[in-house]
Amino acid sequence: MAGRFPPNPPTRPTRTTVRGGHTPVPAVTVPRQSTAARTRRWTPPGPLDLGLVLGPLRRGPADPTFRTTPDGSVWRACRTPAGPGTLRVALRGGAAEAEAWGPGGDWLLEQLPALLGESDDPAAFTPRHRLVAASQHRRPGLRLTRTSLVLESLIPSILEQKVTTDEAYRAWRLLVRKYGESAPGPNDRMHVMPEPRTWALIPSWEWHRAGVDNKRASTILRAVRVARRMEEAADMEPRQAQERLELIPGIGPWTSAETIQRSNGAPDAVTVGDLHLPGIVGYALAGDRNADDEAMLELLAPYAGQRHRAARLILLSGRTPSRRTPKMPRGDIGRL
């Protein structure tokens, strides 16, 4: 980490800290040779933890668009407005060193500061609870990313509706590998997600084989048909961006919040309608494991303007109620 801050999260994060956006990034950095890449070096204004900043962009440990490597690098394969591109970023000497490949490489390098939280202001956050203050103190490198790419966060968020994360990650992995394209650059194990027209042409039986029901598939198809209008939301104020996304039938407050947290770096876009988050927030702040959305929003009211950051810090604290019911069974409609 920048500034030589010792890593606080455990080597094997809990399910809750992973949900909070923690991705382990190897601390060991070794020299590596670049292969005809465009480069950029950017010095962040404060401590920066790549695993915390970019962790929310990973959709499962086998996400074909996201990788971490033993040299301490984070890799992203993206479909940018300029075309497909691959970005590799690592922290060395307190600065972020990035390399990019493909037609979208220049765009990715231009967006590097925003991706690493330049537009975020952690100083605007004031903890109101001891647990939140402790979590913030242990993670000085937490900044909120801004990708300026809507569909790459919207589509996997739709896939996560009403199913387990394992089911959603599997669907994302299968569809991107089959219908995406190989990422440009030296990392031949990565893929760029399909372009909007390709998403629209996926046959119904392939959605079924990936475990995606007709409701979620139809929502994705409606979104990609107006892909340009969806991408315009990245330049809007968070509330306006959510309203734009929610014009699509099947996209509600949960999905729009999960999207603009990443695409717009929205610090106040708290996720409502979640199965577990209200109980986690309620338990952490008031000992109420049965809290609903209304109770959660009341507890987060002192953090108005920064409620998403507060929720992330609560998740990263690892304070979560013990499970009282069996884990939700994983379904696979592809076998039906």
Side-chain angles (χ1 to χ4, degrees):
M1 284 188 281
R4 310 300 296 174
F5 285 91
N8 176 76
T11 304
R12 302 183 66 180
T14 65
R15 183 184 299 270
T16 309
T17 59
V18 169
R19 172 76 185 276
H22 169 67
T23 294
V25 176
V28 178
T29 56
V30 296
R32 64 185 308 278
Q33 293 184 345
S34 175
T35 55
R38 285 149 285 181
T39 62
R40 180 175 182 178
R41 181 181 174 89
W42 177 72
T43 302
L48 182 69
D49 184 333
L50 280 182
L52 290 174
V53 177
L54 301 181
L57 304 180
R58 187 182 75 164
R59 304 291 180 161
D63 185 348
T65 69
F66 189 104
R67 287 196 67 202
T68 60
T69 50
D71 65 352
S73 300
V74 174
W75 295 72
R76 292 191 69 226
C78 307
R79 184 166 298 282
T80 76
T86 302
L87 177 73
R88 184 194 74 86
V89 59
L91 292 176
R92 288 176 173 78
E97 296 183 354
E99 298 173 286
W101 298 263
D106 290 335
W107 188 92
L108 288 170
L109 291 179
E110 181 181 351
Q111 296 294 320
L112 179 68
L115 180 71
L116 298 182
E118 180 188 43
S119 58
D120 183 37
D121 182 15
F125 181 78
T126 302
R128 304 293 183 181
H129 298 84
R130 182 175 299 178
L131 176 140
V132 176
S135 184
Q136 182 190 37
H137 177 74
R138 291 195 296 265
R139 294 167 177 83
L142 172 63
R143 305 182 76 90
L144 301 183
T145 185
R146 179 171 187 166
T147 67
S148 297
L149 297 171
V150 174
L151 284 183
E152 76 161 19
S153 294
L154 177 61
I155 292 175
S157 294
I158 295 172
L159 292 175
E160 292 175 10
Q161 294 176 350
K162 306 297 184 180
V163 298
T164 66
T165 53
D166 289 343
E167 292 174 80
Y169 292 160
R170 174 181 177 273
W172 172 251
R173 182 172 66 249
L174 293 177
L175 292 169
V176 170
R177 285 179 176 171
K178 185 163 187 175
Y179 293 100
E181 58 191 272
S182 296
N187 199 324
D188 56 4
R189 296 175 57 186
M190 300 187 70
H191 289 73
V192 177
M193 79 168 196
E195 61 182 357
R197 177 170 173 77
T198 303
W199 283 110
L201 295 176
I202 296 177
S204 59
W205 58 87
E206 292 294 350
W207 291 105
H208 186 80
R209 288 173 179 172
V212 182
D213 57 55
N214 183 64
K215 182 177 180 181
R216 287 179 291 150
S218 297
T219 301
I220 292 174
L221 294 178
R222 286 191 288 267
V224 298
R225 288 183 185 126
V226 288
R228 182 179 63 82
R229 300 288 286 171
M230 293 290 97
E231 293 294 351
E232 289 175 356
D235 297 322
M236 297 178 176
E237 292 297 318
R239 184 62 254 172
Q240 293 177 315
Q242 284 194 258
E243 292 173 354
R244 170 67 63 88
L245 268 56
E246 291 172 20
L247 290 174
I248 303 296
I251 297 178
W254 185 93
T255 306
S256 65
E258 288 286 312
T259 301
I260 69 163
Q261 288 167 5
R262 298 164 172 83
S263 62
N264 295 51
D268 195 48
V270 62
T271 303
V272 295
D274 191 83
L275 179 62
H276 303 291
L277 185 60
I280 293 173
V281 173
Y283 180 79
L285 300 186
D288 180 11
R289 63 184 301 155
N290 298 313
D292 56 12
D293 280 335
E294 184 178 355
M296 176 183 72
L297 292 176
E298 184 177 348
L299 288 169
L300 293 177
Y303 300 103
Q306 296 282 325
R307 292 177 299 174
H308 168 51
R309 189 193 308 275
R312 276 201 68 187
L313 289 170
I314 291 169
L315 288 167
L316 290 168
S317 73
R319 181 171 172 78
T320 178
S322 58
R323 188 185 299 276
R324 292 193 300 186
T325 59
K327 182 180 178 181
M328 181 178 176
R330 173 181 170 179
D332 186 1
I333 66 171
R335 296 188 178 187
L336 299 177

